[in-house]
Amino acid sequence: MKSDFSLVWLCLMMRSSIRAFAFLARSPQKTNSFRPFFSTSLLGAGSEETLSGYKRPTVQWYPGHIAKAERQLSETLKAVDVIVEVRDARACKASSHTKVAEWCAGRPRIVVLTHVDQIPKLSIVSWKRSYEDFGAGRWDGEVNAQVVNQAIQNQIERTKYKPARKKKSGDAVTNVEDVLFVDAKLGQGIHALNRAIFKAGAHVQERRARRGLKERALRVGIIGYPNVGKSALINRILGRKRARTANTPGVTRSLQWIKVKADSSKTSKREFELLDSPGVIPAKMIDQSDAVLLAACNCIGDAAYDNQAVAAYLFEWIKALHAMGKRDVAAPQWVDKCIERYGFHPLKDDLTGEDMLYKVADKSCHGNPEDASRKVLQDFRRGRLGPICLQLAPLSEEDLGQQKVVLATEIQHDDSQQNLQEERLARAAEAMKSAEEQGLELPPIVHGNAAEDQGSTVEVGKGLFDGW
């Protein structure tokens, strides 16, 4: 009995030793290499873990009023004649919702880009050219076959009363009628928007006239991300303040219909009803780069992100745009404004986004990085850093909505990951050698994803004591 107990105790000790060696072989050591304080997922890297193995939270914001509004919006838009999608011109691709194609389903859509007073004029020209070449709906989200069939039927019905426009590539389902750059503060582009709405909804009045019915007011739905300027656009169309506005996301929390009379005539021909809707954001944002840019533009609630991470990423992103030679298109005054407001040159001394943030903290905020991050974000949102367009217009269909921007920290992360893998293999070989000296037998070293490629999983110590 005593010998059996000793044998079991010996087996357990050997098994613990094997697991300990395996853990040492796989656990990362602390290094003095550069380790960014913000998540690598924000940098667009393949892994969402930091170099220390800690998985930082991603930028996600989906409050209850948005979930309720999205459910109501999908049903209400079925009764809408024309859809006006509002995007932020500072981040044209990021502020386009992935479900717009599903919600439109063949209804005429007008894309309106706001905050044009905060982006360079060259950027406006490049985005206009891109939308003319590829269409504003080229990179919309995928839709199922039922939505495609419904869109085709709606377009066929419209062509009975209105000549079909020549379709651009990429918008066969959504059928974007027009793209307008509007300044809601000064009212620039409002009259063009009114004309575009009546032109897009002309088939409704023509169909009613053929049926012997009186004309009615067009129903126009205004949709878009939070805080992109939907309510401000409605107030500018109305000519008075009707919709509540504020420079913060989540002000509008429910759907409401607002009647608009475009002229003094008593007929309903020049009237339409606007549907003011809360800003709708995807429940899960896959592209974390877009999520951080939206946070910088104040389109996401501030409780969903870290101000220091977003401010550092903003610096890093604009620096990458300059490295691509896109200064005149993206941020022509950024360098001068940084020297003027913060007292340092952002493109000298190979500064990272984190370094720039701490320089702002040291020079302007008594060494407090949190106050510095709030200052940087506020300066960007109010245009104190000059006109800045964060996303570049695509040059080809392979660009996926914007020209790819490669950050310097991404390259550092890739190099660090490679070095970390080499260190792990070296430690594994060391553990194997130490185990052989002690007479222990360890499972073989698995290189890379060999176990995943073979469709099997390797468990440490499994099978060594089968039958005992």
Side-chain angles (χ1 to χ4, degrees):
M1 183 70 180
K2 186 176 181 180
S3 61
D4 293 341
F5 176 78
S6 300
L7 184 61
V8 172
W9 180 83
L10 179 61
C11 293
L12 292 175
M13 291 298 295
M14 292 180 62
R15 195 168 191 176
S16 300
S17 301
I18 293 174
R19 289 180 175 177
F21 277 115
F23 174 78
L24 291 175
R26 294 191 300 174
S27 62
Q29 291 180 340
K30 294 183 178 180
T31 61
N32 295 323
S33 60
F34 171 79
R35 183 174 299 170
F37 70 95
F38 43 87
S39 169
T40 56
S41 63
L42 303 185
L43 304 178
S47 173
E48 292 185 357
E49 294 183 354
T50 59
L51 301 184
S52 61
Y54 171 67
K55 184 177 180 181
R56 296 185 183 275
T58 56
V59 178
Q60 300 292 347
W61 188 59
Y62 197 66
H65 76 275
I66 288 184
K68 179 181 178 181
E70 185 172 351
R71 292 191 300 267
Q72 295 176 347
L73 191 64
S74 59
E75 294 296 328
T76 307
L77 287 180
K78 295 179 180 179
V80 168
D81 302 317
V82 180
I83 294 178
V84 176
E85 181 194 359
V86 183
R87 301 180 185 177
D88 194 324
R90 296 170 295 180
C92 298
K93 182 252 182 182
S95 56
S96 176
H97 202 288
T98 55
K99 286 190 176 182
V100 172
E102 179 181 344
W103 292 336
C104 291
R107 297 176 185 84
R109 176 170 63 146
I110 301 172
V111 174
V112 174
L113 294 107
T114 57
H115 297 99
V116 295
D117 58 320
Q118 297 185 15
I119 64 174
K121 294 183 179 179
L122 290 178
S123 179
I124 298 177
V125 174
S126 63
W127 275 103
K128 282 184 177 180
R129 186 185 305 113
S130 175
Y131 284 148
E132 290 175 358
D133 294 340
F134 309 112
R138 173 64 183 86
W139 294 277
D140 286 340
E142 297 181 356
V143 296
N144 54 38
Q146 181 179 358
V147 175
V148 174
N149 293 333
Q150 182 182 356
I152 294 175
Q153 293 175 6
N154 289 338
Q155 290 181 359
I156 293 175
E157 181 68 18
R158 289 172 55 200
T159 55
K160 295 179 181 178
Y161 310 101
K162 179 182 177 183
R165 294 181 59 184
K166 183 179 179 181
K167 296 180 182 179
K168 300 174 185 178
S169 59
D171 61 349
V173 176
T174 56
N175 191 23
V176 176
E177 295 287 329
D178 207 345
V179 179
L180 301 173
F181 287 80
V182 175
D183 185 356
K185 292 182 180 179
L186 301 178
Q188 177 184 355
I190 298 299
H191 294 294
L193 176 59
N194 288 332
R195 291 193 298 268
I197 290 175
F198 290 122
K199 184 178 179 181
H203 66 284
V204 176
Q205 310 297 3
E206 179 67 22
R207 180 176 58 196
R208 294 179 64 86
R210 292 188 184 184
R211 295 178 179 179
L213 301 175
K214 293 183 178 180
E215 297 176 346
R216 65 166 174 83
L218 294 176
R219 292 188 288 266
V220 182
I222 310 291
I223 62 175
Y225 270 73
N227 202 30
V228 294
K230 299 184 297 299
S231 297
L233 183 66
I234 291 176
N235 290 336
R236 180 58 66 174
I237 294 174
L238 290 172
R240 64 184 188 278
K241 187 174 181 181
R242 170 69 184 275
R244 182 186 172 195
T245 61
N247 189 19
T248 182
V251 174
T252 305
R253 292 179 172 267
S254 60
L255 302 176
Q256 57 176 337
W257 286 97
I258 302 174
K259 194 169 185 179
V260 180
K261 184 178 292 186
D263 54 16
S264 59
S265 63
K266 298 182 179 180
T267 63
S268 60
K269 182 177 181 181
R270 305 298 295 176
E271 293 181 358
F272 54 89
E273 297 175 354
L274 287 177
L275 174 64
D276 186 15
S277 62
V280 179
I281 201 167
K284 184 177 182 181
M285 303 197 68
I286 305 299
D287 192 337
Q288 281 297 296
S289 176
D290 287 351
V292 181
L293 296 182
L294 289 173
C297 294
N298 202 18
C299 295
I300 295 178
D302 55 4
Y305 57 86
D306 179 21
N307 289 316
Q308 298 182 40
V310 174
Y313 188 84
L314 178 64
F315 273 138
E316 196 74 41
W317 185 272
I318 301 176
K319 178 185 175 182
L321 293 176
H322 279 68
M324 295 172 60
K326 303 295 184 179
R327 169 177 177 168
D328 295 337
V329 178
Q333 303 177 15
W334 177 66
V335 174
D336 297 333
K337 292 295 183 179
C338 284
I339 298 174
E340 176 186 344
R341 294 187 62 82
Y342 307 138
F344 71 92
H345 197 294
L347 301 182
K348 290 184 178 180
D349 302 328
D350 195 21
L351 299 175
T352 64
E354 184 181 4
D355 296 334
M356 298 181 202
L357 179 62
Y358 277 98
K359 276 187 172 292
V360 176
D362 293 337
K363 294 179 179 295
S364 305
C365 301
H366 305 286
N368 191 330
E370 180 64 22
D371 291 345
S373 63
R374 294 178 183 274
K375 178 181 178 63
V376 170
L377 293 177
Q378 197 71 264
D379 288 347
F380 165 72
R381 293 164 181 171
R382 295 189 177 183
R384 295 169 182 165
L385 300 180
I388 297 176
C389 185
L390 296 177
Q391 295 185 310
L392 302 174
L395 301 177
S396 64
E397 295 186 358
E398 288 74 20
D399 286 337
L400 300 180
Q402 67 165 335
Q403 295 182 41
K404 186 177 180 180
V405 178
V406 180
L407 306 183
T409 43
E410 287 186 18
I411 301 174
Q412 292 180 3
H413 173 73
D414 293 340
D415 295 340
S416 300
Q417 287 291 90
Q418 184 178 0
N419 296 335
L420 186 61
Q421 183 65 18
E422 294 176 356
E423 290 178 8
R424 286 174 176 170
L425 293 177
R427 288 195 299 271
E430 221 175 285
M432 290 288 294
K433 183 178 179 181
S434 178
E436 290 178 359
E437 293 175 355
Q438 298 185 22
L440 300 176
E441 183 179 356
L442 290 178
I445 301 176
V446 180
H447 296 274
N449 297 327
E452 297 179 4
D453 297 339
Q454 296 174 1
S456 61
T457 58
V458 177
E459 296 184 12
V460 177
K462 185 176 181 180
L464 296 180
F465 303 99
D466 291 348
W468 283 53

